[in-house]
Amino acid sequence: MSDKWYEEHRGICDKCCVSSIETEKIGEKCEHCKDGTIVYNAPYAERVEPLPEPMTCRRRFDQYVGGAPVHLDQGENQDHWDRHKSNGDRVCSYCGSLHPDDFLRLVHEAATAPDDASHGTVPEIEPSDKGYKIYVHQPGVRNAMEGGIKFYTHHLPRDAEGKLTVTEEQNQEYALAVRRSQIRFERYVDHLQERFSGRRAEV
């Protein structure tokens, strides 16, 4: 398969995000949703700018119960931050987590956005069932190719002795961001249910 063929077919639908590598070409209509257009789907390396300062992702040192290492590629200063060219998000080159400063900025935006803001128009913060992982939903960011979508608490700021430096104010703002994100999501679900009920009644 030639490089030219691959580049012509390396596309994704701008509406439904279905890959077009086997069927359509860039600029053509999507055969899946019939609505979108196939646009160039740049590889990750073209979407980010590696920042030069080395850092250490603490996820390298995760351990199973009993102390066995989860990852064998442990070591200091093997990682860096990748900056997304589209929106400036910084993400860890090893685990994909947002930079703590970017995460806290999005937490603030989610916490201060009004409860009646339409879901998906403002950042939303969603805890996962894993204590160390937090989902981040941003307008215009559909997946990790387009920006930061998660935060691992391994990247919370620490002092020189390794102690967390998160303030009580930041903890309270995070709790508020989660609560308001949930309110907006529940309003969105209620709206969908009303629309669906209305359509079903018409049938």
Side-chain angles (χ1 to χ4, degrees):
M1 192 177 296
S2 69
D3 292 340
K4 184 176 185 300
W5 186 96
Y6 184 72
E7 290 303 323
E8 287 180 347
H9 290 73
R10 188 184 182 88
I12 191 170
C13 177
D14 61 358
K15 296 291 186 181
C16 69
C17 296
V18 169
S19 172
S20 67
I21 194 167
E22 295 182 354
T23 54
E24 304 104 352
K25 292 185 178 180
I26 295 170
E28 295 182 0
K29 285 293 183 181
C30 175
E31 293 183 1
H32 178 74
C33 70
K34 310 298 183 183
D35 183 40
T37 301
I38 302 304
V39 296
Y40 176 61
N41 187 24
Y44 183 78
E46 292 183 13
R47 295 170 180 261
V48 299
E49 172 193 4
L51 300 183
E53 299 82 6
M55 63 92 173
T56 302
C57 176
R58 307 316 301 178
R59 289 218 68 194
R60 288 184 178 273
F61 304 98
D62 284 349
Q63 295 180 341
Y64 292 111
V65 175
V70 175
H71 311 286
L72 299 180
D73 51 348
Q74 298 183 356
E76 300 285 341
N77 293 322
Q78 299 186 52
D79 313 305
H80 61 270
W81 296 105
D82 285 328
R83 188 194 304 276
H84 278 269
K85 297 175 182 178
S86 59
N87 63 2
D89 282 354
R90 290 166 291 178
V91 295
C92 175
S93 62
Y94 186 75
C95 72
S97 169
L98 275 160
H99 189 287
D101 291 346
D102 295 340
F103 172 68
L104 293 173
R105 169 181 54 81
L106 292 165
V107 165
H108 177 73
E109 292 180 18
T112 55
D115 291 345
D116 60 354
S118 297
H119 178 72
T121 63
V122 297
E124 310 286 10
I125 306 299
E126 177 191 359
S128 74
D129 57 0
K130 300 175 180 177
Y132 58 85
K133 184 177 184 180
I134 302 166
Y135 294 110
V136 180
H137 308 282
Q138 300 187 63
V141 178
R142 297 169 294 184
N143 52 55
M145 294 286 282
E146 299 179 347
I149 62 170
K150 62 185 177 181
F151 179 74
Y152 287 123
T153 57
H154 302 67
H155 286 290
L156 285 172
R158 297 175 182 271
D159 61 20
E161 298 179 353
K163 296 181 180 179
L164 288 175
T165 58
V166 178
T167 66
E168 182 59 29
E169 181 180 6
Q170 289 171 327
N171 280 326
Q172 292 177 358
E173 188 166 60
Y174 169 75
L176 179 59
V178 171
R179 184 164 65 252
R180 285 191 159 172
S181 295
Q182 183 65 28
I183 290 172
R184 290 187 286 265
F185 179 71
E186 289 174 354
R187 291 181 66 253
Y188 172 70
V189 171
D190 290 343
H191 176 67
L192 289 181
Q193 290 176 338
E194 290 176 2
R195 289 184 58 187
F196 179 74
S197 299
R199 289 181 180 179
R200 186 167 54 185
E202 294 174 0
V203 173

